[in-house]
Amino acid sequence: MSNIRVRFAPSPTGFFHIGSARTALFNWLYARHTGGTFVLRIEDTDKERNSDEALKVLLDGMKWMGLDWDEGPDVGGNYGPYFQSQRQTIYEQYLKKLQDAGRTYEKEGAIWFRLEGERYTAYDEFHKAEIEKVKTAPIVIEDAVRGRVERAEEKDFVLVRKDGNPVFHLVNVVDDITMGITHVIRGEDHLSNTSKHVELFKAFEVEAPVFAHIPLILKEEGSGKMSKRDKGALIEEYESRGFLAAAVRNYITLLGWNPKDQREKLDIEEIIDLFDFPGINKGNARFDEKKLAALNAEYLRELNIASFTFLARPFLHTAGVVSEEADEDYLQSVLKLCQPKARSLESLPELCRYFFTDEYPMDTKTAEKIIKKSDPKTLLAEVLPVLEGVEPFQHEEIKNSLETLAQTQGHKVFVYFPALRYAVSGQGGGPDLLPMLEVMGRKRVTKRIKEFLT
Ligand code: GLU
């Protein structure tokens, strides 16, 4: 165990956005890399938007990604409560410290934080009026990702609103102090808050934590930040679309971090081992749906056939391709053929529908191609009796008897393949043909050829 304490401090909104997931992941990785503590703190001060369902989306998303927290909701800890809505008295105590130190004043019903420095008035473009500004000593942040950042605050800011609610800056800093947070890892969009936060740490006479501001995630096209409306932005969608959590987690790791070699597919143990601030990029990351899909496909191909079948079954069932009681052995032997070709679990019904039902589409382009080169009916009329007689109906034997047939007819065996594949699947491509015939079985295969011939 180390003394490092990091936190993920989401405000539940009803969505688990990929940017939040990345912040959670980087904090978790840093805690696991250093042997520190990963705290989950719920910033639920916005009463309108917070609900049990919104919290559930968040916790489920984190659990799905395997991001277990050492302190927080469900697990407790010595620094609780872990919901800001339950920490009101702590905020009052800390506000009192600032009041006692003469660092606050009231204006228009709100409580303001008084910056230290020389005051002057200046024309403010935003307010279109003369306002009071303060010349403060610049705040220097030795950011663990961005290096030295200097910023001066020049306006007092509100600590407690007219309605009595403390603002984000106050509660965020008080929580980081009282929860003993040593490292704040959060999105670069918070950089403008950090100088205010450092002013508050100074006013509380507490050493500020180390800050690490991680780069933005840009949407796939254009220069904007990825928002919840962008395709691929929500973690809960990956889950329902059958992406593998390990693949999504691996991909998100690469949004702003890299292992300094060309590798992209890394086990989580290795990522934990390698993850540290110097590996985090300063430049923005860009979401890349294709790269995520490719990684997911790689992870899918690595699953053993029993796990792959377990995950695939509901997708085939929902698409109406198999019944709930579909035979496990047949399912496994079909999926063994389809697994290497699967881009995703979602693509499986289309990929292997014809193994299960006679209601499958016949691809017309493939038909045109085949007809241009051969007469499929003549070829299949030759093949049918051979397939009816071959014993046992297994790929080696099928291959041998088709080769014998080809020899007697004076052509090469592969002349039969396109027509044969088309007749039994309606497709021009798919798994290796002969193992596919074996899995389908003699009855299905010969029935389909007969139908094709009539
Ligand atoms: N609730 C804030 C957010 O979701 C927390 C920011 C922080 O990590 O300090 O952006």
Side-chain angles (χ1 to χ4, degrees), residues 11-16 49 51 53-55 57-58 236:
S11 311
T13 55
F15 308 98
F16 194 29
R49 279 161 74 188
S51 62
E53 298 90 272
L55 180 64
V57 170
L58 196 92
E236 51 273 27

Side-chain angles (χ1 to χ4, degrees), residues 7 9-11 41 43 168 172 176 184-186 190:
R7 85 303 193 270
S11 311
R41 171 173 88 221
E43 302 212 331
F168 162 71
N172 188 264
D176 284 342
V184 169
I185 305 167
R186 61 184 174 190
H190 281 290

Side-chain angles (χ1 to χ4, degrees), residues 133-145:
K133 288 194 169 179
V134 190
K135 248 198 196 89
T136 60
I139 293 294
V140 178
I141 305 156
E142 297 293 350
D143 192 279
V145 174

Side-chain angles (χ1 to χ4, degrees), residues 65-272:
M65 281 181 63
L67 307 180
D68 55 328
W69 52 98
D70 306 311
E71 293 176 23
D74 300 344
V75 301
N78 294 331
Y79 296 76
Y82 292 92
F83 291 86
Q84 284 187 334
S85 56
Q86 298 167 18
R87 297 174 65 82
Q88 194 59 31
T89 50
I90 300 171
Y91 304 138
E92 281 161 15
Q93 283 162 14
Y94 271 77
L95 178 67
K96 181 140 192 309
K97 285 183 202 239
L98 295 180
Q99 286 169 327
D100 291 349
R103 294 301 301 274
T104 66
Y105 59 90
E106 267 194 62
K107 193 173 83 184
E108 292 152 3
I111 301 174
W112 291 68
F113 180 67
R114 188 196 303 281
L115 288 169
E116 279 178 335
E118 190 189 313
R119 284 166 193 271
Y120 62 102
T121 52
Y123 186 74
D124 186 277
E125 271 303 324
F126 183 74
H127 294 90
K128 300 264 178 264
E130 293 272 318
I131 67 155
E132 186 182 66
K133 288 194 169 179
V134 190
K135 248 198 196 89
T136 60
I139 293 294
V140 178
I141 305 156
E142 297 293 350
D143 192 279
V145 174
R146 314 199 60 75
R148 192 185 176 89
V149 181
E150 264 188 52
R151 261 181 77 95
E153 282 300 314
E154 48 178 22
K155 277 179 260 168
D156 293 346
F157 53 90
V158 171
L159 294 174
V160 180
R161 279 190 290 261
K162 260 184 256 180
D163 61 9
N165 284 319
V167 303
F168 162 71
H169 304 302
L170 179 63
V171 298
N172 188 264
V173 166
V174 169
D175 285 347
D176 284 342
I177 293 172
T178 51
M179 292 183 174
I181 299 304
T182 59
H183 293 70
V184 169
I185 305 167
R186 61 184 174 190
E188 197 187 292
D189 46 333
H190 281 290
L191 197 53
S192 59
N193 296 325
T194 299
S195 42
K196 289 191 182 64
H197 295 185
V198 174
E199 287 285 5
L200 286 172
F201 281 106
K202 276 169 57 187
F204 285 121
E205 298 180 322
V206 175
E207 197 190 327
V210 173
F211 288 95
H213 288 93
I214 57 185
L216 299 180
I217 303 175
L218 303 181
K219 53 175 122 202
E220 190 133 32
E221 268 140 46
S223 54
K225 201 181 135 187
M226 201 153 168
S227 87
K228 68 165 189 278
R229 284 171 302 278
D230 289 311
K231 195 157 160 254
L234 303 181
I235 298 301
E236 51 273 27
E237 278 177 18
Y238 289 116
E239 187 180 356
S240 62
R241 289 175 58 197
F243 277 74
L244 298 181
V248 173
R249 188 175 56 196
N250 186 161
Y251 176 69
I252 295 178
T253 313
L254 303 174
L255 288 172
W257 177 85
N258 68 73
K260 299 278 179 243
D261 49 34
Q262 296 302 308
R263 286 178 309 153
E264 297 195 317
K265 185 166 178 297
L266 296 138
D267 285 346
I268 192 64
E269 286 75 23
E270 196 176 0
I271 295 172
I272 289 173

Side-chain angles (χ1 to χ4, degrees), residues 275-288:
F275 187 87
D276 208 346
F277 295 138
I280 300 179
N281 309 332
K282 284 196 188 66
N284 291 331
R286 189 180 290 282
F287 181 69
D288 181 343

